[in-house]
Short mmCIF file of all heavy atoms in Angstrom, two decimals:
data_model
loop_
_atom_site.label_atom_id
_atom_site.label_comp_id
_atom_site.label_asym_id
_atom_site.label_seq_id
_atom_site.Cartn_x
_atom_site.Cartn_y
_atom_site.Cartn_z
N ARG F 390 81.65 238.41 -47.12
CA ARG F 390 83.05 238.08 -46.86
C ARG F 390 83.46 238.37 -45.43
O ARG F 390 84.16 237.59 -44.78
CB ARG F 390 83.97 238.87 -47.79
CG ARG F 390 84.50 238.12 -48.98
CD ARG F 390 85.97 237.73 -48.85
NE ARG F 390 86.23 236.92 -47.68
CZ ARG F 390 87.29 237.05 -46.90
NH1 ARG F 390 88.16 237.99 -47.15
NH2 ARG F 390 87.48 236.27 -45.86
N GLN F 391 83.04 239.52 -44.91
CA GLN F 391 83.56 239.97 -43.63
C GLN F 391 83.19 239.04 -42.48
O GLN F 391 83.95 238.90 -41.53
CB GLN F 391 83.08 241.40 -43.35
CG GLN F 391 83.86 242.42 -44.17
CD GLN F 391 83.26 243.81 -44.11
OE1 GLN F 391 82.31 244.10 -44.82
NE2 GLN F 391 83.81 244.66 -43.27
N LYS F 392 82.04 238.38 -42.59
CA LYS F 392 81.64 237.50 -41.49
C LYS F 392 82.55 236.28 -41.38
O LYS F 392 82.56 235.59 -40.35
CB LYS F 392 80.19 237.05 -41.67
CG LYS F 392 79.93 236.17 -42.89
CD LYS F 392 78.45 235.83 -43.01
CE LYS F 392 78.16 234.96 -44.22
NZ LYS F 392 78.83 233.65 -44.15
N ASN F 393 83.33 236.00 -42.41
CA ASN F 393 84.19 234.82 -42.42
C ASN F 393 85.63 235.10 -42.03
O ASN F 393 86.45 234.19 -42.00
CB ASN F 393 84.17 234.19 -43.81
CG ASN F 393 82.80 233.70 -44.22
OD1 ASN F 393 82.05 233.19 -43.41
ND2 ASN F 393 82.46 233.89 -45.48
N ILE F 394 85.97 236.37 -41.75
CA ILE F 394 87.35 236.69 -41.42
C ILE F 394 87.73 236.02 -40.11
O ILE F 394 87.01 236.14 -39.12
CB ILE F 394 87.54 238.21 -41.31
CG1 ILE F 394 87.27 238.89 -42.64
CG2 ILE F 394 88.97 238.54 -40.85
CD1 ILE F 394 87.32 240.40 -42.58
N PRO F 395 88.85 235.28 -40.04
CA PRO F 395 89.27 234.68 -38.77
C PRO F 395 89.46 235.74 -37.69
O PRO F 395 89.91 236.85 -37.96
CB PRO F 395 90.61 234.01 -39.13
CG PRO F 395 90.57 233.83 -40.61
CD PRO F 395 89.77 234.97 -41.15
N ASP F 396 89.11 235.38 -36.46
CA ASP F 396 89.19 236.35 -35.37
C ASP F 396 90.58 236.94 -35.23
O ASP F 396 90.73 238.14 -34.96
CB ASP F 396 88.76 235.69 -34.05
CG ASP F 396 87.27 235.41 -34.00
OD1 ASP F 396 86.52 236.05 -34.77
OD2 ASP F 396 86.84 234.57 -33.19
N TYR F 397 91.63 236.12 -35.40
CA TYR F 397 92.99 236.64 -35.21
C TYR F 397 93.35 237.68 -36.25
O TYR F 397 94.29 238.46 -36.06
CB TYR F 397 94.01 235.49 -35.24
CG TYR F 397 94.22 234.84 -36.58
CD1 TYR F 397 95.00 235.45 -37.57
CD2 TYR F 397 93.64 233.61 -36.89
CE1 TYR F 397 95.20 234.85 -38.80
CE2 TYR F 397 93.83 233.01 -38.12
CZ TYR F 397 94.62 233.63 -39.07
OH TYR F 397 94.81 233.04 -40.29
N ALA F 398 92.61 237.70 -37.37
CA ALA F 398 92.98 238.58 -38.47
C ALA F 398 92.16 239.86 -38.52
O ALA F 398 92.47 240.75 -39.33
CB ALA F 398 92.83 237.84 -39.80
N ARG F 399 91.15 239.98 -37.68
CA ARG F 399 90.23 241.11 -37.83
C ARG F 399 90.89 242.46 -37.58
O ARG F 399 90.47 243.47 -38.15
CB ARG F 399 89.02 240.93 -36.90
CG ARG F 399 88.10 239.81 -37.36
CD ARG F 399 86.82 239.73 -36.55
NE ARG F 399 85.97 238.65 -37.06
CZ ARG F 399 85.14 238.77 -38.08
NH1 ARG F 399 85.03 239.95 -38.69
NH2 ARG F 399 84.43 237.76 -38.51
N HIS F 400 91.90 242.51 -36.74
CA HIS F 400 92.52 243.80 -36.44
C HIS F 400 93.72 244.10 -37.32
O HIS F 400 94.32 245.15 -37.22
CB HIS F 400 92.94 243.85 -34.97
CG HIS F 400 94.04 242.90 -34.62
ND1 HIS F 400 93.83 241.56 -34.50
CD2 HIS F 400 95.36 243.11 -34.40
CE1 HIS F 400 94.98 240.97 -34.20
NE2 HIS F 400 95.91 241.87 -34.14
N ILE F 401 94.10 243.14 -38.18
CA ILE F 401 95.22 243.39 -39.09
C ILE F 401 94.77 244.41 -40.15
O ILE F 401 93.67 244.30 -40.69
CB ILE F 401 95.66 242.08 -39.78
CG1 ILE F 401 96.13 241.07 -38.73
CG2 ILE F 401 96.77 242.35 -40.79
CD1 ILE F 401 96.44 239.71 -39.31
N PRO F 402 95.58 245.41 -40.46
CA PRO F 402 95.18 246.39 -41.49
C PRO F 402 94.81 245.71 -42.80
O PRO F 402 95.56 244.88 -43.31
CB PRO F 402 96.43 247.26 -41.64
CG PRO F 402 97.12 247.15 -40.32
CD PRO F 402 96.88 245.74 -39.85
N ASN F 403 93.63 246.04 -43.32
CA ASN F 403 93.15 245.43 -44.56
C ASN F 403 92.08 246.34 -45.15
O ASN F 403 91.71 247.34 -44.53
CB ASN F 403 92.61 244.01 -44.28
CG ASN F 403 91.41 244.01 -43.36
OD1 ASN F 403 90.33 244.44 -43.74
ND2 ASN F 403 91.58 243.54 -42.12
N ASN F 406 89.15 247.86 -43.02
CA ASN F 406 89.39 248.85 -41.98
C ASN F 406 89.38 250.25 -42.58
O ASN F 406 89.98 250.45 -43.65
CB ASN F 406 90.73 248.61 -41.30
CG ASN F 406 90.89 247.23 -40.71
OD1 ASN F 406 91.93 246.59 -40.87
ND2 ASN F 406 89.87 246.75 -40.04
N TYR F 441 88.89 236.55 -51.36
CA TYR F 441 89.16 235.23 -50.82
C TYR F 441 88.00 234.29 -51.15
O TYR F 441 86.89 234.72 -51.44
CB TYR F 441 89.42 235.29 -49.30
CG TYR F 441 89.97 234.00 -48.76
CD1 TYR F 441 91.26 233.60 -49.09
CD2 TYR F 441 89.20 233.17 -47.97
CE1 TYR F 441 91.76 232.41 -48.63
CE2 TYR F 441 89.69 231.98 -47.50
CZ TYR F 441 90.99 231.60 -47.84
OH TYR F 441 91.47 230.40 -47.39
N ASP F 443 85.60 232.26 -50.00
CA ASP F 443 84.65 231.73 -49.02
C ASP F 443 83.23 232.27 -49.19
O ASP F 443 82.44 232.25 -48.25
CB ASP F 443 85.14 232.02 -47.60
CG ASP F 443 85.44 233.49 -47.35
OD1 ASP F 443 85.14 234.33 -48.25
OD2 ASP F 443 85.98 233.82 -46.28
N THR F 505 96.81 231.22 -50.83
CA THR F 505 97.57 230.04 -50.45
C THR F 505 96.73 228.85 -50.01
O THR F 505 97.28 227.79 -49.70
CB THR F 505 98.57 230.39 -49.34
OG1 THR F 505 97.86 231.05 -48.27
CG2 THR F 505 99.64 231.33 -49.86
N SER F 506 95.43 229.00 -49.98
CA SER F 506 94.55 227.86 -49.69
C SER F 506 93.17 228.15 -50.27
O SER F 506 92.79 229.31 -50.46
CB SER F 506 94.43 227.60 -48.18
OG SER F 506 93.86 228.72 -47.52
N ASP F 509 90.23 225.54 -47.16
CA ASP F 509 91.09 224.76 -46.26
C ASP F 509 91.90 223.69 -46.97
O ASP F 509 92.44 222.78 -46.34
CB ASP F 509 90.27 224.12 -45.13
CG ASP F 509 89.63 225.15 -44.23
OD1 ASP F 509 90.30 226.17 -43.96
OD2 ASP F 509 88.48 224.95 -43.81
N PRO F 535 99.95 235.81 -50.27
CA PRO F 535 99.25 235.57 -49.01
C PRO F 535 98.02 236.47 -48.89
O PRO F 535 97.94 237.50 -49.57
CB PRO F 535 100.30 235.93 -47.94
CG PRO F 535 101.20 236.90 -48.63
CD PRO F 535 101.25 236.47 -50.07
N VAL F 536 97.10 236.09 -48.05
CA VAL F 536 95.88 236.88 -47.83
C VAL F 536 95.77 237.18 -46.34
O VAL F 536 96.02 236.31 -45.51
CB VAL F 536 94.62 236.15 -48.36
CG1 VAL F 536 94.40 234.84 -47.64
CG2 VAL F 536 93.40 237.04 -48.25
N ASN F 537 95.44 238.42 -46.00
CA ASN F 537 95.42 238.79 -44.58
C ASN F 537 94.01 238.79 -43.98
O ASN F 537 93.83 239.19 -42.83
CB ASN F 537 96.08 240.15 -44.36
CG ASN F 537 95.39 241.29 -45.08
OD1 ASN F 537 94.37 241.10 -45.72
ND2 ASN F 537 95.97 242.47 -45.00
N THR F 538 93.01 238.34 -44.74
CA THR F 538 91.66 238.26 -44.17
C THR F 538 91.06 236.87 -44.30
O THR F 538 89.87 236.69 -44.08
CB THR F 538 90.72 239.27 -44.85
OG1 THR F 538 90.64 238.96 -46.25
CG2 THR F 538 91.21 240.69 -44.67
N GLY F 539 91.86 235.89 -44.68
CA GLY F 539 91.42 234.50 -44.76
C GLY F 539 92.43 233.61 -44.07
O GLY F 539 93.49 234.07 -43.65
N PRO F 540 92.12 232.32 -43.94
CA PRO F 540 93.05 231.41 -43.26
C PRO F 540 94.41 231.36 -43.97
O PRO F 540 94.48 231.28 -45.19
CB PRO F 540 92.34 230.06 -43.37
CG PRO F 540 90.89 230.40 -43.56
CD PRO F 540 90.88 231.65 -44.36
N ILE F 541 95.46 231.44 -43.21
CA ILE F 541 96.80 231.31 -43.73
C ILE F 541 97.60 230.47 -42.74
O ILE F 541 97.44 230.65 -41.51
CB ILE F 541 97.46 232.69 -43.95
CG1 ILE F 541 98.83 232.54 -44.61
CG2 ILE F 541 97.57 233.49 -42.68
CD1 ILE F 541 99.45 233.87 -45.06
N ALA F 542 98.38 229.56 -43.22
CA ALA F 542 99.11 228.65 -42.34
C ALA F 542 99.96 229.44 -41.35
O ALA F 542 100.78 230.27 -41.73
CB ALA F 542 99.99 227.72 -43.16
N GLY F 543 99.74 229.16 -40.06
CA GLY F 543 100.52 229.85 -39.02
C GLY F 543 100.13 231.28 -38.81
O GLY F 543 100.82 232.02 -38.10
N GLY F 544 99.02 231.71 -39.39
CA GLY F 544 98.64 233.12 -39.29
C GLY F 544 98.49 233.62 -37.87
O GLY F 544 98.95 234.71 -37.53
N TRP F 545 97.85 232.82 -37.02
CA TRP F 545 97.63 233.28 -35.65
C TRP F 545 98.97 233.43 -34.92
O TRP F 545 99.14 234.32 -34.08
CB TRP F 545 96.70 232.32 -34.90
CG TRP F 545 97.32 230.98 -34.63
CD1 TRP F 545 97.30 229.87 -35.43
CD2 TRP F 545 98.05 230.60 -33.47
NE1 TRP F 545 97.98 228.84 -34.86
CE2 TRP F 545 98.45 229.24 -33.64
CE3 TRP F 545 98.41 231.26 -32.29
CZ2 TRP F 545 99.19 228.56 -32.69
CZ3 TRP F 545 99.15 230.56 -31.34
CH2 TRP F 545 99.54 229.23 -31.54
N ARG F 546 99.95 232.55 -35.25
CA ARG F 546 101.25 232.65 -34.59
C ARG F 546 102.00 233.89 -35.06
O ARG F 546 102.65 234.58 -34.27
CB ARG F 546 102.08 231.39 -34.88
CG ARG F 546 101.56 230.17 -34.12
CD ARG F 546 102.41 228.93 -34.38
NE ARG F 546 102.16 228.40 -35.71
CZ ARG F 546 103.10 228.30 -36.65
NH1 ARG F 546 104.33 228.68 -36.40
NH2 ARG F 546 102.81 227.82 -37.83
N LEU F 547 101.92 234.18 -36.36
CA LEU F 547 102.57 235.38 -36.87
C LEU F 547 101.95 236.62 -36.25
O LEU F 547 102.65 237.57 -35.90
CB LEU F 547 102.45 235.43 -38.40
CG LEU F 547 103.27 234.39 -39.18
CD1 LEU F 547 102.89 234.45 -40.65
CD2 LEU F 547 104.76 234.64 -39.01
N THR F 548 100.62 236.63 -36.15
CA THR F 548 99.94 237.78 -35.57
C THR F 548 100.39 238.01 -34.14
O THR F 548 100.66 239.13 -33.72
CB THR F 548 98.41 237.58 -35.63
OG1 THR F 548 98.04 237.38 -36.98
CG2 THR F 548 97.69 238.78 -35.07
N ARG F 549 100.47 236.92 -33.36
CA ARG F 549 100.91 237.04 -31.97
C ARG F 549 102.34 237.55 -31.90
O ARG F 549 102.67 238.44 -31.11
CB ARG F 549 100.79 235.68 -31.28
CG ARG F 549 101.22 235.70 -29.81
CD ARG F 549 101.04 234.33 -29.19
NE ARG F 549 101.90 233.34 -29.85
CZ ARG F 549 101.91 232.05 -29.56
NH1 ARG F 549 101.06 231.58 -28.66
NH2 ARG F 549 102.72 231.22 -30.19
N HIS F 550 103.20 237.01 -32.76
CA HIS F 550 104.61 237.38 -32.73
C HIS F 550 104.81 238.86 -33.05
O HIS F 550 105.65 239.53 -32.44
CB HIS F 550 105.39 236.52 -33.73
CG HIS F 550 106.85 236.85 -33.81
ND1 HIS F 550 107.74 236.52 -32.81
CD2 HIS F 550 107.57 237.53 -34.75
CE1 HIS F 550 108.96 236.94 -33.15
NE2 HIS F 550 108.87 237.55 -34.31
N PHE F 551 104.03 239.37 -34.00
CA PHE F 551 104.23 240.74 -34.44
C PHE F 551 103.24 241.72 -33.78
O PHE F 551 103.13 242.87 -34.21
CB PHE F 551 104.11 240.83 -35.96
CG PHE F 551 105.26 240.22 -36.68
CD1 PHE F 551 105.09 239.03 -37.38
CD2 PHE F 551 106.51 240.80 -36.66
CE1 PHE F 551 106.15 238.44 -38.05
CE2 PHE F 551 107.58 240.22 -37.32
CZ PHE F 551 107.41 239.03 -38.02
N ALA F 552 102.57 241.27 -32.71
CA ALA F 552 101.57 242.12 -32.07
C ALA F 552 102.17 243.43 -31.60
O ALA F 552 101.51 244.48 -31.63
CB ALA F 552 100.94 241.39 -30.90
N GLY F 555 102.59 246.41 -34.49
CA GLY F 555 101.49 247.07 -35.17
C GLY F 555 100.56 246.16 -35.94
O GLY F 555 99.61 246.63 -36.56
N TYR F 556 100.80 244.84 -35.94
CA TYR F 556 99.93 243.92 -36.67
C TYR F 556 98.85 243.37 -35.73
O TYR F 556 99.10 243.18 -34.54
CB TYR F 556 100.74 242.73 -37.23
CG TYR F 556 101.64 243.13 -38.38
CD1 TYR F 556 102.92 243.61 -38.15
CD2 TYR F 556 101.19 243.06 -39.69
CE1 TYR F 556 103.74 243.98 -39.19
CE2 TYR F 556 102.00 243.43 -40.75
CZ TYR F 556 103.28 243.89 -40.49
OH TYR F 556 104.08 244.26 -41.54
#
Side-chain angles (χ1 to χ4, degrees):
R390 259 255 58 221
Q391 284 170 279
K392 66 182 180 62
N393 298 322
I394 297 175
D396 288 340
Y397 70 78
R399 290 187 179 276
H400 67 285
I401 299 174
N403 64 70
N406 304 136
Y441 191 69
D443 55 7
T505 52
S506 62
D509 297 321
V536 62
N537 61 3
T538 61
I541 185 171
W545 69 271
R546 287 182 286 118
L547 290 172
T548 302
R549 180 178 63 183
H550 179 73
F551 289 109
Y556 288 87

